[in-house]
Amino acid sequence: MFNEATVVGEVIQGLLPSFPYVVCVDDGSDDDSAAVARAAGAVVVEHPFNLGQGAALQTGFEYALQDPGLEAVITFDADSQHRVEDAVAMLERLRSGEADVILGSRFLDSRTKISPLKRLVLRTAAVQSSLSTGLELTDAHNGLRVIGSAVLKRLHLTQNRMAHASELIQQLAQIKPRIVEHPVEIVYTEYSKSKGQSLLNGVNILADLFFR
């Protein structure tokens, strides 16, 4: 999380009844995000300065793997755009043995309200990702994921910023775990848009895919 003091407490309180172990990686926030997250009941791991979302994810993965009894991690954005009930259903699918990795997709049902242009950008990114990795995904840049511990041990993100989502999919393609997509809702609020869910963010994703 980065400067999410406005919403992170409510997000954590919503998660805890279903997920008692919530870890927040504070990516060098200069507001009260870390204190708010602790007060809400999360374990907080702090970066001394802002390193980017990819670095925050890798820090969270490494922290979680310190637990020898770890079953899986769920990546869940701090800006309230994800639904707890979607995460619960995704974890149930992993626990059933259906797959090793469950990836959220906003394009598998009609709940997510998204502009036509942003839909085009994200679907183009998904097609490009499928062509480059061989994984036929409908939503390659969805932040809600459930990753089993055996797969998690083999992931190592080195792209700190926007490119981390593409890197994660590329590494999954190399590891070849059993992957399924699960329909999820992305809640686009004015707040979440201001935190990086704008169309410009989608354009940055495309630029990363085609010009790296």
Side-chain angles (χ1 to χ4, degrees):
M1 62 183 175
F2 179 70
N3 290 346
E4 302 283 11
T6 304
V7 297
V8 70
E10 184 177 348
V11 172
I12 292 167
Q13 289 169 357
L15 284 165
L16 285 174
S18 301
F19 305 107
Y21 304 108
V22 176
V23 177
C24 286
V25 179
D26 181 50
D27 192 25
S29 295
D30 50 24
D31 66 1
D32 294 328
S33 293
V36 171
R38 286 194 183 93
V43 172
V44 178
V45 181
E46 296 185 65
H47 286 169
F49 47 84
N50 183 248
L51 295 173
Q53 194 175 49
L57 272 181
Q58 184 60 37
T59 296
F61 291 168
E62 292 176 4
Y63 182 89
L65 285 169
Q66 299 306 305
D67 180 355
L70 179 71
E71 176 187 15
V73 297
I74 300 171
T75 63
F76 195 98
D77 287 1
D79 62 2
S80 76
Q81 67 170 296
H82 294 148
R83 296 288 194 189
V84 174
E85 54 265 36
D86 288 333
V88 170
M90 291 167 71
L91 182 60
E92 287 177 354
R93 292 184 72 176
L94 183 133
R95 283 175 166 168
S96 75
E98 179 182 356
D100 307 305
V101 177
I102 317 293
L103 300 177
S105 173
R106 76 200 86 186
F107 299 118
L108 293 181
D109 65 19
S110 60
R111 287 179 294 163
T112 299
K113 307 307 178 189
I114 186 170
S115 70
L117 190 53
K118 187 175 179 72
R119 178 184 294 272
L120 175 63
V121 169
L122 290 172
R123 294 307 296 266
T124 301
V127 169
Q128 197 282 337
S129 178
S130 296
L131 291 173
S132 65
T133 66
L135 294 178
E136 296 185 2
L137 303 176
T138 61
D139 191 1
H141 288 80
N142 196 302
L144 183 52
R145 317 172 185 91
V146 179
I147 304 172
S149 59
V151 176
L152 189 69
K153 291 174 183 176
R154 302 177 64 184
L155 293 175
H156 183 73
L157 299 179
T158 61
Q159 299 291 331
N160 289 344
R161 298 191 182 276
M162 290 306 300
H164 77 276
S166 302
E167 184 185 28
L168 191 150
I169 297 300
Q170 289 172 346
Q171 291 188 15
L172 289 177
Q174 294 169 355
I175 296 169
K176 302 184 186 305
R178 296 172 299 157
I179 298 174
V180 297
E181 287 188 300
H182 184 88
V184 303
E185 180 181 14
I186 302 298
V187 182
Y188 293 107
T189 64
E190 291 304 316
Y191 178 81
S192 68
K193 291 175 184 176
S194 71
K195 295 294 293 185
Q197 290 299 322
S198 65
L199 178 61
L200 178 60
N201 199 40
V203 173
N204 287 337
I205 289 171
L206 287 184
D208 166 60
L209 289 169
F210 288 106
F211 299 110
R212 60 187 170 187

Short mmCIF file of all heavy atoms in Angstrom, two decimals, residues 86-110:
data_model
loop_
_atom_site.label_atom_id
_atom_site.label_comp_id
_atom_site.label_asym_id
_atom_site.label_seq_id
_atom_site.Cartn_x
_atom_site.Cartn_y
_atom_site.Cartn_z
N ASP A 86 -15.30 -12.55 -3.33
CA ASP A 86 -14.58 -13.14 -4.46
C ASP A 86 -13.33 -13.87 -3.98
O ASP A 86 -13.03 -14.98 -4.45
CB ASP A 86 -14.19 -12.04 -5.46
CG ASP A 86 -15.38 -11.48 -6.23
OD1 ASP A 86 -16.37 -12.21 -6.40
OD2 ASP A 86 -15.29 -10.32 -6.67
N ALA A 87 -12.60 -13.25 -3.05
CA ALA A 87 -11.39 -13.89 -2.52
C ALA A 87 -11.73 -15.19 -1.80
O ALA A 87 -11.00 -16.19 -1.92
CB ALA A 87 -10.67 -12.92 -1.58
N VAL A 88 -12.81 -15.20 -1.05
CA VAL A 88 -13.23 -16.41 -0.34
C VAL A 88 -13.52 -17.54 -1.34
O VAL A 88 -13.07 -18.68 -1.17
CB VAL A 88 -14.47 -16.12 0.53
CG1 VAL A 88 -15.07 -17.42 1.07
CG2 VAL A 88 -14.11 -15.18 1.68
N ALA A 89 -14.26 -17.21 -2.38
CA ALA A 89 -14.61 -18.23 -3.38
C ALA A 89 -13.37 -18.74 -4.11
O ALA A 89 -13.26 -19.94 -4.42
CB ALA A 89 -15.61 -17.65 -4.38
N MET A 90 -12.42 -17.85 -4.37
CA MET A 90 -11.19 -18.26 -5.06
C MET A 90 -10.38 -19.20 -4.19
O MET A 90 -9.82 -20.20 -4.66
CB MET A 90 -10.38 -17.01 -5.45
CG MET A 90 -11.06 -16.18 -6.54
SD MET A 90 -10.34 -14.53 -6.75
CE MET A 90 -8.75 -14.93 -7.49
N LEU A 91 -10.27 -18.90 -2.89
CA LEU A 91 -9.52 -19.78 -1.99
C LEU A 91 -10.18 -21.14 -1.89
O LEU A 91 -9.50 -22.18 -1.83
CB LEU A 91 -9.39 -19.13 -0.61
CG LEU A 91 -8.59 -19.93 0.42
CD1 LEU A 91 -7.16 -20.16 -0.07
CD2 LEU A 91 -8.59 -19.23 1.77
N GLU A 92 -11.50 -21.17 -1.91
CA GLU A 92 -12.21 -22.46 -1.86
C GLU A 92 -11.86 -23.31 -3.08
O GLU A 92 -11.71 -24.54 -2.96
CB GLU A 92 -13.71 -22.21 -1.80
CG GLU A 92 -14.18 -21.68 -0.43
CD GLU A 92 -15.67 -21.37 -0.42
OE1 GLU A 92 -16.31 -21.44 -1.49
OE2 GLU A 92 -16.18 -21.03 0.66
N ARG A 93 -11.72 -22.67 -4.23
CA ARG A 93 -11.37 -23.43 -5.44
C ARG A 93 -9.96 -24.01 -5.32
O ARG A 93 -9.71 -25.15 -5.73
CB ARG A 93 -11.48 -22.54 -6.68
CG ARG A 93 -12.90 -22.14 -7.02
CD ARG A 93 -12.99 -21.33 -8.30
NE ARG A 93 -12.75 -22.16 -9.49
CZ ARG A 93 -12.86 -21.70 -10.73
NH1 ARG A 93 -13.20 -20.43 -10.93
NH2 ARG A 93 -12.62 -22.49 -11.77
N LEU A 94 -9.04 -23.23 -4.75
CA LEU A 94 -7.68 -23.75 -4.58
C LEU A 94 -7.69 -24.90 -3.58
O LEU A 94 -7.06 -25.94 -3.80
CB LEU A 94 -6.75 -22.63 -4.11
CG LEU A 94 -5.29 -23.06 -3.96
CD1 LEU A 94 -4.35 -22.03 -4.62
CD2 LEU A 94 -4.89 -23.22 -2.50
N ARG A 95 -8.42 -24.74 -2.48
CA ARG A 95 -8.46 -25.78 -1.44
C ARG A 95 -9.13 -27.05 -1.95
O ARG A 95 -8.86 -28.15 -1.47
CB ARG A 95 -9.21 -25.25 -0.21
CG ARG A 95 -8.37 -24.31 0.63
CD ARG A 95 -9.16 -23.71 1.77
NE ARG A 95 -8.28 -23.08 2.74
CZ ARG A 95 -8.70 -22.28 3.72
NH1 ARG A 95 -9.99 -22.01 3.86
NH2 ARG A 95 -7.83 -21.74 4.56
N SER A 96 -10.00 -26.93 -2.94
CA SER A 96 -10.66 -28.11 -3.49
C SER A 96 -9.70 -28.96 -4.32
O SER A 96 -10.03 -30.09 -4.70
CB SER A 96 -11.85 -27.68 -4.35
OG SER A 96 -11.40 -27.16 -5.61
N GLY A 97 -8.53 -28.39 -4.63
CA GLY A 97 -7.56 -29.09 -5.47
C GLY A 97 -7.75 -28.86 -6.94
O GLY A 97 -7.07 -29.48 -7.77
N GLU A 98 -8.65 -27.94 -7.28
CA GLU A 98 -8.95 -27.70 -8.70
C GLU A 98 -7.76 -27.10 -9.44
O GLU A 98 -7.55 -27.38 -10.62
CB GLU A 98 -10.15 -26.75 -8.80
CG GLU A 98 -10.55 -26.39 -10.22
CD GLU A 98 -11.72 -25.41 -10.25
OE1 GLU A 98 -12.25 -25.08 -9.16
OE2 GLU A 98 -12.10 -24.98 -11.35
N ALA A 99 -6.97 -26.26 -8.75
CA ALA A 99 -5.84 -25.60 -9.40
C ALA A 99 -4.83 -25.18 -8.34
O ALA A 99 -5.11 -25.20 -7.13
CB ALA A 99 -6.33 -24.39 -10.19
N ASP A 100 -3.65 -24.78 -8.83
CA ASP A 100 -2.58 -24.30 -7.94
C ASP A 100 -2.60 -22.78 -7.82
O ASP A 100 -2.06 -22.22 -6.87
CB ASP A 100 -1.22 -24.73 -8.50
CG ASP A 100 -1.16 -26.22 -8.76
OD1 ASP A 100 -1.43 -26.99 -7.83
OD2 ASP A 100 -0.85 -26.61 -9.91
N VAL A 101 -3.16 -22.13 -8.83
CA VAL A 101 -3.24 -20.67 -8.87
C VAL A 101 -4.63 -20.28 -9.39
O VAL A 101 -5.08 -20.81 -10.41
CB VAL A 101 -2.16 -20.07 -9.80
CG1 VAL A 101 -2.31 -18.55 -9.89
CG2 VAL A 101 -0.76 -20.44 -9.32
N ILE A 102 -5.28 -19.36 -8.69
CA ILE A 102 -6.57 -18.85 -9.13
C ILE A 102 -6.39 -17.36 -9.43
O ILE A 102 -6.00 -16.59 -8.55
CB ILE A 102 -7.66 -19.01 -8.04
CG1 ILE A 102 -7.58 -20.38 -7.35
CG2 ILE A 102 -9.04 -18.75 -8.64
CD1 ILE A 102 -7.92 -21.53 -8.21
N LEU A 103 -6.66 -16.97 -10.66
CA LEU A 103 -6.50 -15.58 -11.06
C LEU A 103 -7.86 -14.92 -11.27
O LEU A 103 -8.74 -15.50 -11.93
CB LEU A 103 -5.69 -15.49 -12.37
CG LEU A 103 -4.27 -16.07 -12.33
CD1 LEU A 103 -3.63 -15.97 -13.72
CD2 LEU A 103 -3.40 -15.36 -11.30
N GLY A 104 -8.03 -13.74 -10.71
CA GLY A 104 -9.29 -13.02 -10.89
C GLY A 104 -9.41 -12.48 -12.30
O GLY A 104 -8.43 -12.10 -12.93
N SER A 105 -10.65 -12.45 -12.80
CA SER A 105 -10.93 -11.83 -14.10
C SER A 105 -12.20 -11.00 -14.00
O SER A 105 -13.26 -11.51 -13.62
CB SER A 105 -11.09 -12.88 -15.20
OG SER A 105 -11.52 -12.24 -16.40
N ARG A 106 -12.10 -9.74 -14.39
CA ARG A 106 -13.27 -8.85 -14.38
C ARG A 106 -14.13 -9.03 -15.62
O ARG A 106 -15.16 -8.39 -15.76
CB ARG A 106 -12.80 -7.40 -14.25
CG ARG A 106 -12.22 -6.78 -15.47
CD ARG A 106 -11.35 -5.58 -15.17
NE ARG A 106 -9.99 -6.02 -14.87
CZ ARG A 106 -9.01 -5.23 -14.45
NH1 ARG A 106 -9.24 -3.95 -14.25
NH2 ARG A 106 -7.80 -5.72 -14.21
N PHE A 107 -13.70 -9.92 -16.53
CA PHE A 107 -14.41 -10.08 -17.80
C PHE A 107 -15.20 -11.38 -17.89
O PHE A 107 -15.68 -11.74 -18.96
CB PHE A 107 -13.41 -9.99 -18.96
CG PHE A 107 -12.71 -8.66 -19.03
CD1 PHE A 107 -11.33 -8.58 -18.89
CD2 PHE A 107 -13.42 -7.49 -19.22
CE1 PHE A 107 -10.67 -7.35 -18.94
CE2 PHE A 107 -12.78 -6.26 -19.27
CZ PHE A 107 -11.41 -6.19 -19.12
N LEU A 108 -15.32 -12.10 -16.79
CA LEU A 108 -16.04 -13.38 -16.83
C LEU A 108 -17.48 -13.27 -16.34
O LEU A 108 -18.21 -14.26 -16.36
CB LEU A 108 -15.29 -14.43 -16.00
CG LEU A 108 -13.93 -14.85 -16.57
CD1 LEU A 108 -13.28 -15.90 -15.68
CD2 LEU A 108 -14.08 -15.38 -17.99
N ASP A 109 -17.87 -12.09 -15.85
CA ASP A 109 -19.28 -11.83 -15.58
C ASP A 109 -19.53 -10.35 -15.82
O ASP A 109 -18.63 -9.62 -16.27
CB ASP A 109 -19.70 -12.31 -14.18
CG ASP A 109 -19.02 -11.53 -13.05
OD1 ASP A 109 -18.51 -10.41 -13.31
OD2 ASP A 109 -19.01 -12.03 -11.92
N SER A 110 -20.73 -9.90 -15.52
CA SER A 110 -21.12 -8.53 -15.90
C SER A 110 -21.09 -7.55 -14.73
O SER A 110 -21.59 -6.43 -14.85
CB SER A 110 -22.52 -8.56 -16.52
OG SER A 110 -23.46 -9.07 -15.58
#
